[in-house]
Amino acid sequence: MSSVCLSVCVLSSSGSKVLVHFVNQSGVKSSVFVTEGETLLDVVIKKNLDISGFGACEGTLACSTCHLIFEESVYDKLEPMVDEEVDMLDLAYGLTKTSRLGCQVTVERWMDGMTVHVPQEIKDQRGKQEAVRSK
Amino acid sequence: IWGSHICRVRGLSSSSGPRVCIVGGGPAGFYTAQQLLKARQDAAVDIYERLPVPFGLVRFGVAPDHPEVKNVINTFTQTAQHERCSFHGNVNVGKDVTIDELRQAYHAVVLSYGAEGNRSMGIPGEDLPGVFSAKDFVGWYNGLPSNKELHPDLSFETAVILGQGNVALDVARILLAPVEMLKETDITQNALEALAGSKVRRVLIVGRRGPLQIACTIKELREMVNLPNTRADMLPADFEGIAEALKDLPRPRKRLTELMMKAVKEGGDDKAEKCWGLRFFRSPVEVLAGADEKRAAGIRLALNKLEGSGESVRAEVTGQLEDVDCGLIISSIGYKSIPIDPAVPFDPRRAIVPNEMGRVQDTAGLYCSGWVKRGPTGVIATTMNDSFDTARVLIQDMEAGKLDLSVNKPGAQAITALLQTRGVRMVLFSQWEKINAEEEKRGKSLGKAREKLLDVDEMLCRAK
């Protein structure tokens, strides 16, 4: 409901429009035009994207729930991480070599067309693993 | 308030959507509710919480100097204010209402009541004055009503903390932090005053295994290393062989270990008044009483060696002992869930409700999420993911017909009526908001984020 209204309103703002594709925990892709200068956390919240539990600490580097996985070519061009981001990222579920926290990544024009995704849900498998590990 | 609640429930009972009851108003309860409300537009979710105030360990466990971690309260507040969700505080499930009564009133019940007990060390002298569980000590500085009379004696130079998880490090940091760092937080005023007058200058944080097994995370260790006016006091002998092992470690463990090694090497400002240290390969075997036999004056530690490798490294006794003089002993070896109702299966060995992916064993329609399901470890995000998993399983069961949704269930209407006949005063979310406003107001006059009410009766009074 609200994301359609948002897309229309945002066209009139002065920031450059960058196309970003988000893939959520169930593999569902959402493609959105975002404004340069916003963080990816801002984008998920403003566009009301269906990513469960994203941004619990509201961008204060106190959790790892805005964890996003980038394409390698994009990851390599991102600003380096400060210690505090690495500290939190190290606790993230499904950490990869091209993982970052969304609240620390600001949208820039060159990111146009990039795809970011969150770790995929492992439904039964994780349940079974938990059951085995806890015995 | 009573009338308007009944009217709202009546409106909902004309719909035939699933009604779910959640026991426990902490992160597990709220995240489970959130996911259920999102996944089913016809679901009504009621949260029952024992205290008049919501949020569980986010309010009573997270350290006062970690306010960002408490931002999750905003999303929980949104959930509680959702039109298909109601919060009912001051309801003691197991005492005021039974699980069976809840199961009769709802299509499904989710146990999310966490871990209110603590693991005991099981050693002689554990009950001497001067020995506290970390759960109680944290509850004391965070305003948990049942810990308000703790009155820990902080007039001793050395404190020993058993356990090296994040809770242990939180306790160490609160004991040694300059008062300036705490005085604008939501720490209780009586704890702030006690800490301002504290004579504790040295805190040892003791673990039974080695540096590579330490359970805390790097953020908390970094905060200790950066504490003003303190220095690190480690034993280089505890770190033998660790430098060589670094290269094979996964990044999180490697960075944590490197930070520890840096603290061993650099130590810190020699002029610092206070110090903290990690002590490894040591298990508590006895709390030693002072000459007057009346309180703790020291702790006897057994020295261990490690056997095995990787994840399954175990501590084995060597027979050697070491005595440490100290007047404050805090046992931080884990919280523990307790059974709250005989109708619910409980595994006393693991202290959890036995379950398969959140479905309580042998009990249709009963689920669990959070610490009572998996054990008392992990951060809020861990509990969040776990709660989402349980909610998904519950939704699956609804869709697969394992829960009979064709039967109309009365939900809160029936339970509220029952509680009224039993003289239980429920606290609704809008009433918590009055308590919240009062706490913020009191805090403001003291220059603090909030001043928590410490007394259940006072909370109920404010909720009127």
Side-chain angles (χ1 to χ4, degrees):
Chain A
M1 151 197 92
S2 58
S3 52
V4 172
C5 299
L6 269 170
S7 305
V8 171
C9 293
V10 126
L11 281 170
S12 60
S13 77
S14 52
S16 170
K17 291 289 146 286
V18 178
L19 179 63
V20 179
H21 308 286
F22 287 84
V23 179
N24 79 356
Q25 62 279 352
S26 312
V28 174
K29 184 151 117 170
S30 307
S31 301
V32 287
F33 280 102
V34 305
T35 314
E36 251 191 306
E38 290 186 321
T39 68
L40 290 176
L41 171 60
D42 293 333
V43 172
V44 172
I45 302 300
K46 280 202 196 152
K47 302 286 188 185
N48 204 19
L49 298 180
D50 180 20
I51 307 182
S52 296
F54 202 81
C57 77
E58 301 179 2
T60 55
L61 284 177
C63 76
S64 59
T65 62
C66 68
H67 170 210
L68 289 169
I69 301 167
F70 291 77
E71 299 153 306
E72 198 172 332
S73 54
V74 173
Y75 178 81
D76 288 340
K77 286 159 65 180
L78 296 174
E79 289 294 306
M81 290 186 267
V82 296
D83 275 343
E84 287 72 20
E85 181 184 348
V86 192
D87 288 353
M88 286 297 111
L89 199 52
D90 276 354
L91 306 180
Y93 168 69
L95 187 65
T96 69
K97 290 199 167 67
T98 58
S99 287
R100 291 292 301 262
L101 293 182
C103 67
Q104 301 301 300
V105 177
T106 303
V107 173
E108 289 174 29
R109 193 112 52 107
W110 61 264
M111 295 176 185
D112 193 39
M114 78 171 172
T115 300
V116 295
H117 65 272
V118 299
Q120 298 298 283
E121 249 165 43
I122 313 171
K123 286 179 179 133
D124 292 343
Q125 199 53 41
R126 178 145 68 118
K128 287 203 188 94
Q129 280 177 347
E130 297 278 5
V132 167
R133 233 194 292 142
S134 57
K135 278 195 173 92
Chain B
I1 286 168
W2 173 254
S4 69
H5 179 75
I6 284 292
C7 287
R8 190 156 73 93
V9 170
R10 221 168 252 156
L12 280 175
S13 69
S14 58
S15 77
S16 55
R19 291 186 185 283
V20 181
C21 162
I22 297 184
V23 179
F30 275 100
Y31 276 127
T32 306
Q34 216 175 70
Q35 194 69 2
L36 290 171
L37 290 166
K38 185 170 124 171
R40 290 281 305 223
Q41 298 301 306
D42 59 347
V45 180
D46 296 325
I47 300 173
Y48 292 88
E49 159 60 43
R50 186 185 48 186
L51 286 172
V53 299
F55 311 135
L57 284 178
V58 177
R59 175 180 165 100
F60 295 116
V62 175
D65 59 339
H66 287 168
E68 332 73 35
V69 176
K70 302 190 201 198
N71 281 344
V72 291
I73 284 176
N74 298 331
T75 188
F76 297 163
T77 295
Q78 273 188 347
T79 298
Q81 291 170 339
H82 192 290
E83 58 170 0
R84 289 184 279 116
C85 183
S86 344
F87 171 84
H88 309 261
N90 200 42
V91 177
N92 189 328
V93 173
K95 198 166 80 73
D96 297 335
V97 60
T98 66
I99 292 289
D100 280 341
E101 285 165 338
L102 291 174
R103 288 176 69 211
Q104 277 168 48
Y106 289 91
H107 294 103
V109 175
V110 184
L111 304 172
S112 307
Y113 65 79
E116 69 188 76
N118 70 276
R119 276 182 75 199
S120 79
M121 292 188 281
I123 61 176
E126 188 163 10
D127 297 324
L128 282 170
V131 183
F132 302 96
S133 69
K135 177 187 81 68
D136 285 343
F137 194 80
V138 171
W140 169 72
Y141 63 65
N142 275 337
L144 187 60
S146 53
N147 293 135
K148 70 177 189 282
E149 306 294 338
L150 203 75
H151 302 301
D153 185 344
L154 305 178
S155 63
F156 300 91
E157 188 191 304
T158 301
V160 170
I161 301 173
L162 290 318
Q164 296 174 327
N166 284 339
V167 178
L169 265 66
D170 276 355
V171 170
R173 188 178 73 253
I174 297 296
L175 279 172
L176 294 178
V179 165
E180 293 71 57
M181 252 174 71
L182 300 174
K183 69 179 205 276
E184 290 175 7
T185 69
D186 64 5
I187 194 169
T188 64
Q189 194 63 16
N190 56 350
L192 187 63
E193 284 165 8
L195 289 165
S198 165
K199 301 279 188 292
V200 175
R201 295 288 176 269
R202 183 168 167 253
V203 178
L204 298 178
I205 307 166
V206 180
R208 68 199 154 81
R209 293 184 297 174
L212 296 180
Q213 288 78 42
I214 199 170
C216 65
T217 53
I218 194 170
K219 174 173 185 252
E220 283 70 17
L221 187 68
R222 212 185 276 290
E223 286 171 333
M224 289 308 297
V225 169
N226 294 337
L227 257 187
N229 201 21
T230 64
R231 63 179 171 82
D233 163 23
M234 312 283 214
L235 300 179
D238 281 352
F239 290 82
E240 251 167 67
I242 298 298
E244 291 72 26
L246 276 176
K247 62 185 183 336
D248 299 320
L249 299 172
R251 188 180 82 183
R253 179 59 67 184
K254 180 162 187 269
R255 292 177 74 242
L256 178 59
T257 310
E258 282 170 340
L259 183 59
M260 268 192 284
M261 308 230 29
K262 184 161 174 252
V264 177
K265 210 169 80 149
E266 291 173 15
D269 182 7
D270 278 333
K271 296 191 303 293
E273 266 183 26
K274 305 183 195 174
C275 75
W276 64 280
L278 301 171
R279 292 288 181 273
F280 295 97
F281 312 106
R282 287 154 168 85
S283 297
V285 293
E286 187 178 345
V287 174
L288 307 170
D292 61 2
E293 303 283 317
K294 290 213 179 93
R295 71 170 334 277
I299 189 157
R300 178 159 290 162
L301 304 170
L303 269 51
N304 302 323
K305 61 181 194 293
L306 295 187
E307 296 296 328
S309 61
E311 293 285 308
S312 57
V313 169
R314 302 178 311 279
E316 304 257 335
V317 292
T318 59
Q320 283 181 278
L321 298 171
E322 181 183 280
D323 288 354
V324 178
D325 291 337
C326 54
L328 179 63
I329 294 169
I330 298 181
S331 156
S332 184
I333 59 174
Y335 286 56
K336 194 162 87 169
S337 293
I338 59 166
I340 61 168
D341 190 302
V344 177
F346 192 80
D347 177 343
R349 190 182 60 84
R350 293 167 61 200
I352 58 165
V353 171
N355 69 93
E356 183 67 41
M357 299 204 321
R359 294 180 179 98
V360 175
Q361 212 172 66
D362 305 326
T363 321
L366 192 60
Y367 299 80
C368 53
S369 68
W371 281 6
V372 79
K373 167 186 168 194
R374 291 169 68 253
T377 59
V379 295
I380 294 174
T382 324
T383 290
M384 180 185 82
N385 285 316
D386 178 78
S387 300
F388 289 171
D389 285 347
T390 291
R392 273 192 279 268
V393 157
L394 207 170
I395 299 286
Q396 266 174 40
D397 287 356
M398 283 183 185
E399 283 160 10
K402 287 196 190 147
L403 294 171
D404 186 2
L405 300 181
S406 65
V407 176
N408 256 359
K409 293 282 192 176
Q413 197 175 20
I415 300 300
T416 303
L418 203 54
L419 291 171
Q420 209 201 12
T421 66
R422 292 171 185 174
V424 175
R425 261 202 63 196
M426 274 183 353
V427 174
L428 300 180
F429 202 76
S430 54
Q431 293 171 298
W432 143 249
E433 285 168 333
K434 291 187 190 165
I435 297 172
N436 184 40
E438 177 61 23
E439 290 184 344
E440 286 178 341
K441 178 166 156 233
R442 290 189 189 188
K444 199 156 177 209
S445 69
L446 291 164
K448 293 162 78 179
R450 77 172 55 233
E451 185 57 40
K452 291 175 186 165
L453 298 186
L454 300 183
D455 194 73
V456 170
D457 287 333
E458 204 181 353
M459 291 174 183
L460 293 177
C461 196
R462 285 288 155 188
K464 283 205 185 98

